Amino acid sequence: MHPDLILLNGNIITVSGGRAEALAVKDQKIIALGRNAQIKKLANENTKTLDLKGKTVLPGFVDAHTHLVGVGLKKTLYLDLSEARSLDEALERVREAAKARGKGNWVIGQGWDESRWPQKRYVTKRDLDRVAPQNPVAVVRVDGHMLTANSKALEAIKISAYPAEVDKENGLLREQAVSQFLQQLRPPLDELKRALNEAIKMAHSLGITSIHDIPSIDAFKAWQALRDELKLRVTLNVPIEQLDKFTELGFRTGFGDDWLKLGAVKIFSDGSIGAGNAALFEPYADRPGRGKLNYEQARLNELVQKAHKNGFQVMIHAIGDRAIQAALEALKAAGIDAEARARIEHFELPTPSQIEQMKKLGIIASMQPNFLQWSGPGQLYETRLGTKRDARIDPHRHVLEKGVKLAFGSDCMPIGPLYGIHLAVNAPYEIQKLSVEEAIRCYTLNAAFAAFEEKSKGSIEVGKLADLVVLSEDPQRAADRVKDIKVEMTFIGGERVF
Ligand SMILES: [Zn+2]
């Protein structure tokens, strides 16, 4: 049992308890952990040795909520608008892209965020018509819950089913209308594969070794097509619209292997705060209305029950307090207990009593600390919700203190665990703040737990997969600048992928 690889002279943070200096890997797994001298003794002439020179090692990060095809397409096919610092800059990029692609060809942009712009308003149809009158153009907001299309694009695409979600006047589409629109523009399989390969490279460079992906249905095909060469561990979560198809074929949560497996069924209970359609108990501060629930309670209950009965873990997207209440009621009505590990995604604006109910029902809070970029004085959440509600948004500390299992992900806004950990540690309000150690655990072991995988990953222990990340600095000694720490190496199953 000589190891394939040994790592020596490390500052290994195991997450499961304590630190170690060295470890040994054989057949993708960690077979020994301890002091240098102990581990050195296991090696023979076929063992590769790596001297870490005191560098910090963590378990590979598990991003518990991401959409990797979108990340990749932004690098390959789509126009990335996430860095635009004003509306004019975003429109200028659209103008250039339209020119480069030629008259009549599609321009699809992603990632615009009006809260970053001095104008503080959404892109409209007129804006896009002005800069690209000859091209169909569609630009998706950073949260994916909203899209602006120009006149040419609205002529080309049929949106039939969701009149309430279409503002023709301004070219603004929301929720299901967005998915219906984009469904008609899906790139071919080869493009999806190319996008995923780019996104996987990016994930490696950020220290991510596992993801819980929430793909559109054609992305399942792309992931499957990459299966044999896959260098990322992927849990695919099934959109509720596809549940019948999957259950008919006998699929359920857990099907697959250490590389590619089926996770939960995903149900949307509401929209987002940025798009102004997260469902709130009290009205928005900057617009009329309280947002919108996607389903009547009885229908949500029915969907949750159906997924649960058919052997699927359930994940419900719920951002506003009213949507969280609806999700909790549906999970309770379905008789779901802690064993089922149901998840509420985002869980941004819970009331204290809702956090207690999470604990009681054993539901996992799957949250995204990088959303804190929109919290604090003068930021988007304060504008939308008012100061009082902004000060109780994303309450990671309260969630942990109440004993609720908390898993972290990125929702690709943007992806990057160190960035998320940084924001959780340096959050604007006390109830949002975690210690570095707590935030790391949420992004590793707890995220693994949220996909029933805490026995095989999420910490550095003998018997677990050798998914590891080597950092330039110890985050526990650099709490105020975690986001500046560099990922130096990433290992998946003991193989160096970055
Ligand atoms: Zn998402």
Side-chain angles (χ1 to χ4, degrees), residues 52-294:
L52 291 167
K53 301 188 170 113
K55 293 271 160 65
T56 296
V57 182
L58 293 181
F61 293 116
V62 179
D63 187 335
H65 185 125
T66 191
H67 310 267
L68 225 55
V69 168
V71 171
L73 285 172
K74 241 193 301 193
K75 292 195 129 264
T76 56
L77 204 58
Y78 293 169
L79 182 63
D80 183 1
L81 297 172
S82 58
E83 303 291 316
R85 259 162 282 145
S86 69
L87 175 60
D88 301 325
E89 195 183 324
L91 292 174
E92 205 39 52
R93 291 189 190 184
V94 171
R95 187 200 300 277
E96 280 163 23
K99 211 171 132 196
R101 278 163 216 201
K103 189 176 155 185
N105 291 316
W106 273 93
V107 175
I108 302 172
Q110 274 188 335
W112 59 269
D113 179 358
E114 83 295 339
S115 77
R116 302 243 163 281
W117 302 339
Q119 294 88 348
K120 304 271 178 212
R121 70 162 176 87
Y122 299 142
V123 190
T124 65
K125 178 174 81 175
R126 281 176 301 282
D127 296 325
L128 298 174
D129 280 345
R130 189 159 45 82
V131 294
Q134 314 275 18
N135 300 67
V137 180
V139 292
V140 185
R141 194 179 181 277
V142 59
D143 58 4
H145 288 267
M146 195 177 218
L147 169 158
T148 309
N150 71 352
S151 300
K152 278 257 183 305
L154 289 168
E155 276 163 31
I157 299 289
K158 296 241 167 325
I159 301 293
S160 48
Y162 313 100
E165 289 168 345
V166 182
D167 167 4
K168 275 240 164 87
E169 165 90 24
N170 292 304
L172 281 176
L173 275 55
R174 286 186 165 82
E175 301 305 315
Q176 275 103 328
V178 174
S179 11
Q180 203 188 44
F181 188 100
L182 293 175
Q183 208 54 49
Q184 297 171 59
L185 289 172
R186 293 305 291 178
L189 185 62
D190 275 355
E191 280 294 347
L192 295 178
K193 280 165 65 184
R194 188 162 77 97
L196 279 181
N197 278 323
E198 280 302 310
I200 289 167
K201 267 191 240 160
M202 190 169 167
H204 292 161
S205 74
L206 297 165
I208 298 165
T209 54
S210 291
I211 61 163
H212 304 171
D213 200 50
I214 298 149
S216 56
I217 192 66
D218 47 1
F220 277 81
K221 252 189 215 165
W223 280 116
Q224 184 60 43
L226 294 178
R227 163 66 185 82
D228 290 342
E229 48 196 283
L230 201 55
K231 293 276 159 61
L232 190 70
R233 305 190 192 276
V234 182
T235 300
L236 295 176
N237 298 291
V238 178
I240 183 68
E241 294 77 21
Q242 308 297 336
L243 175 61
D244 288 343
K245 205 180 280 175
F246 278 80
T247 51
E248 211 178 284
L249 297 170
F251 288 120
R252 50 183 292 168
T253 295
F255 174 81
D257 57 25
D258 281 341
W259 292 105
L260 196 56
K261 68 167 66 160
L262 278 185
V265 161
K266 164 114 187 256
I267 306 170
F268 279 92
S269 166
D270 67 348
S272 78
I273 295 166
N277 56 1
L280 311 174
F281 283 133
E282 302 295 329
Y284 280 90
D286 68 338
R287 60 190 59 211
R290 303 189 296 149
K292 185 175 147 280
L293 290 172
N294 288 346

Side-chain angles (χ1 to χ4, degrees), residues 65-67 143 145 214 266 268 317 345-346 368 371 410-413:
H65 185 125
T66 191
H67 310 267
D143 58 4
H145 288 267
I214 298 149
K266 164 114 187 256
F268 279 92
H317 164 120
E345 305 299 304
H346 313 307
Q368 295 73 33
F371 288 6
S410 71
D411 209 5
C412 6
M413 291 190 239

